[in-house]
Amino acid sequence: MGRLIKAAGAEEGALLLLASGPRAVVQRALGHLRVQIGGSHGKLDPKDYRFVWVHQFPLFERLEERNAWAPAHHIFTMPLDEHLAHLTTDPGRVHAQLYDLAANGQELASGSIRIHRKDIQEKVMEVIGMTPEEAKEKFGFLLEAFEYGAPPHGGIALGLDRLVVLFHGGDSIRDAIAFPKTARATSLMDDAPAPIDPADLKELHLKILGSP
């Protein structure tokens, strides 16, 4: 224990937390704990804005219960050029061209550079266990489009409601959403979702079979 305290550089009054388990679970648990402790013991001035760009997220995450890889964000994000060689040999090492803008702990914008090459897209699908037949059935239109020379492309989406709450103040983005939904996912402004006209169902070739 003495060696552990020394290695951590802990002084009297410090708290050391040890956790055991799958890496992703431990990191998520300690992350939540860090936020809770920080929020109660290190409150920031709400007008003291601290901005940060977070980028190069992992492309995949390991699902220990299934012994398989899954997309950490989605399967259409371009891996870093220097990580392309590890796609099928070491997926956990691959990071993607993802980026988020955050301020005072709130995500304000999120974006990525998308995959524009068929061979890379097929390898990403292979990593998550998608067969070539399944890939063609679900995303054949996309893979075919890449054969015609899709250019590199990407973008970013701003959370305007979050920006309003950050600068104006508030406890929830619901305070800044024009048409917020209730806890039951209904809209107070137009009573949506509402009963569907049978004629609309017929036009769309849909049939309501009842609750599961």
Side-chain angles (χ1 to χ4, degrees):
M1 181 61 70
R3 293 174 61 187
L4 177 62
I5 293 175
K6 183 178 180 180
E11 301 178 353
E12 185 175 351
L15 172 66
L16 294 180
L17 298 172
L18 303 179
S20 175
R23 182 182 181 89
V25 175
V26 170
Q27 289 177 330
R28 192 175 296 114
L30 292 179
H32 284 306
L33 185 59
R34 176 177 177 269
V35 171
Q36 290 293 325
I37 295 175
S40 59
H41 295 279
K43 290 186 177 298
L44 297 174
D45 179 352
K47 298 301 181 182
D48 181 15
Y49 303 116
R50 306 292 182 91
F51 292 88
V52 61
W53 279 103
V54 185
H55 59 97
Q56 297 185 7
F57 294 85
L59 182 55
F60 304 103
E61 61 182 356
R62 188 69 176 171
L63 300 180
E64 299 296 340
E65 66 277 9
R66 291 173 45 195
N67 192 30
W69 291 102
H73 190 62
H74 58 67
I75 62 172
F76 308 109
T77 301
M78 190 71 174
L80 298 179
D81 291 341
E82 58 269 31
H83 289 182
L84 287 173
H86 310 302
L87 259 179
T88 55
T89 58
D90 191 2
R93 187 176 174 181
V94 179
H95 287 69
Q97 298 183 46
L98 288 158
Y99 36 83
D100 281 359
L101 174 64
N104 294 16
Q106 299 294 324
E107 180 187 317
L108 302 180
S110 181
S112 68
I113 301 299
R114 297 302 177 92
I115 295 174
H116 62 279
R117 285 173 44 186
K118 181 181 178 183
D119 59 330
I120 295 176
Q121 187 67 78
E122 288 177 331
K123 286 183 180 179
V124 171
M125 292 174 173
E126 178 186 344
V127 170
I128 66 170
M130 190 178 294
T131 65
E133 295 75 21
E134 187 180 4
K136 183 177 181 180
E137 179 182 354
K138 293 183 176 180
F139 304 106
F141 65 94
L142 179 66
L143 297 174
E144 182 180 354
F146 288 156
E147 295 181 354
Y148 295 96
H153 56 284
I156 189 167
L158 294 174
L160 295 179
D161 44 12
R162 299 186 182 189
L163 285 168
V164 171
V165 171
L166 176 67
F167 295 129
H168 185 266
D171 298 323
S172 169
I173 62 172
R174 291 171 60 85
D175 299 333
I177 297 176
F179 303 102
K181 301 293 190 294
T182 67
R184 299 182 61 185
T186 59
S187 172
L188 295 175
M189 300 296 293
D190 53 16
D191 291 327
I196 303 175
D197 190 312
D200 293 334
L201 289 174
K202 184 177 180 179
E203 181 181 354
L204 296 171
H205 302 283
L206 296 176
K207 181 184 294 183
I208 298 178
L209 300 178
S211 302

